[in-house]
Amino acid sequence: MKPTTAQCCFGFLLTCLLFGFSFSQSGNIFLLIPVGLASVMTTDVMICAGTENKLSTLSDLEQQYRTLRKYYESCEVVMGNLEITSIDRSRDLTFLRSIREVTGYVLVALNQFDYLPLENLRIIRGTKLYEDRYSLAIFLNYRRDGNFGLRQLGLKNLTGKLNYFLVTYIFLC
């Protein structure tokens, strides 16, 4: 049996009420889907769910990298937190270049790569803060022996004022 127009409208309205919605300047409707449920492709922007893992990691570094790539490849807006943790030095992180906005916090910690390719990140809204204090937290991004680590941030398009941030380095010049 085919659903009626009224049933379809009711289902759409119920989804909007449960998950929330907003309108873009072009009139498109965006559903705000809870973290972990899905990525949403609209005609304007690719929206993906953020994470709330903080410093916890998956079973191994390979799985950690694959999960990061799966979450954020082609993503432009992260609805939630962008957490980049426990990534080794040999990984291709260029897929992060597509990210333009993060609604929560950005955490970059416990990594060994030398460059953070977030060149197109323009805004960190900070609706949720790391440790209830920081919208941007970058720390412990080097190996204990000091051979590898973060040397350059690619945050050249970040605009606005970050009221709360934590950045610690041993390699950054």
Side-chain angles (χ1 to χ4, degrees):
M1 183 173 170
K2 187 176 179 183
T4 66
T5 303
Q7 289 171 326
C8 290
C9 289
F10 177 74
F12 176 75
L13 289 174
L14 183 60
T15 302
C16 288
L17 289 174
L18 287 173
F19 295 127
F21 65 96
S22 65
F23 294 93
S24 72
Q25 291 177 346
S26 62
N28 290 334
I29 297 172
F30 296 95
L31 292 177
L32 304 180
I33 298 176
V35 171
L37 287 184
S39 293
V40 178
M41 178 66 173
T42 68
T43 56
D44 293 329
V45 68
M46 177 68 162
I47 300 172
C48 57
T51 57
E52 264 190 78
N53 299 328
K54 297 192 177 181
L55 297 178
S56 63
T57 59
L58 298 170
S59 59
D60 62 57
L61 295 180
E62 177 65 31
Q63 182 65 28
Q64 186 80 5
Y65 172 75
R66 280 196 312 258
T67 302
L68 182 74
R69 188 171 191 120
K70 177 181 161 190
Y71 265 70
Y72 301 118
E73 193 153 34
S74 301
C75 179
E76 294 176 70
V77 176
V78 178
M79 297 297 288
N81 309 315
L82 174 59
E83 298 173 322
I84 305 168
T85 61
S86 302
I87 304 297
D88 64 25
R89 68 184 182 99
S90 62
R91 300 300 179 174
D92 175 15
L93 298 175
T94 56
F95 62 90
L96 294 172
R97 286 186 175 137
S98 62
I99 297 173
R100 295 183 297 160
E101 179 179 337
V102 176
T103 64
Y105 61 78
V106 174
L107 170 64
V108 182
L110 307 174
N111 299 296
Q112 296 176 18
F113 54 81
D114 62 357
Y115 180 68
L116 180 63
L118 288 172
E119 293 100 353
N120 294 311
L121 181 62
R122 290 184 297 199
I123 187 164
I124 302 170
R125 296 204 181 271
T127 57
K128 179 139 183 132
L129 301 175
Y130 179 71
E131 298 297 326
D132 296 321
R133 268 182 93 175
Y134 306 108
S135 55
L136 174 61
I138 302 173
F139 58 91
L140 298 175
N141 289 291
Y142 52 87
R143 245 175 56 172
R144 284 187 189 163
D145 64 10
N147 288 333
F148 307 109
L150 188 58
R151 295 179 186 273
Q152 185 179 5
L153 293 175
L155 299 172
K156 61 185 177 185
N157 287 313
L158 192 58
T159 60
K161 180 178 162 187
L162 287 174
N163 291 326
Y164 303 103
F165 61 94
L166 168 69
V167 180
T168 61
Y169 294 99
I170 61 169
F171 290 121
L172 198 64
C173 299

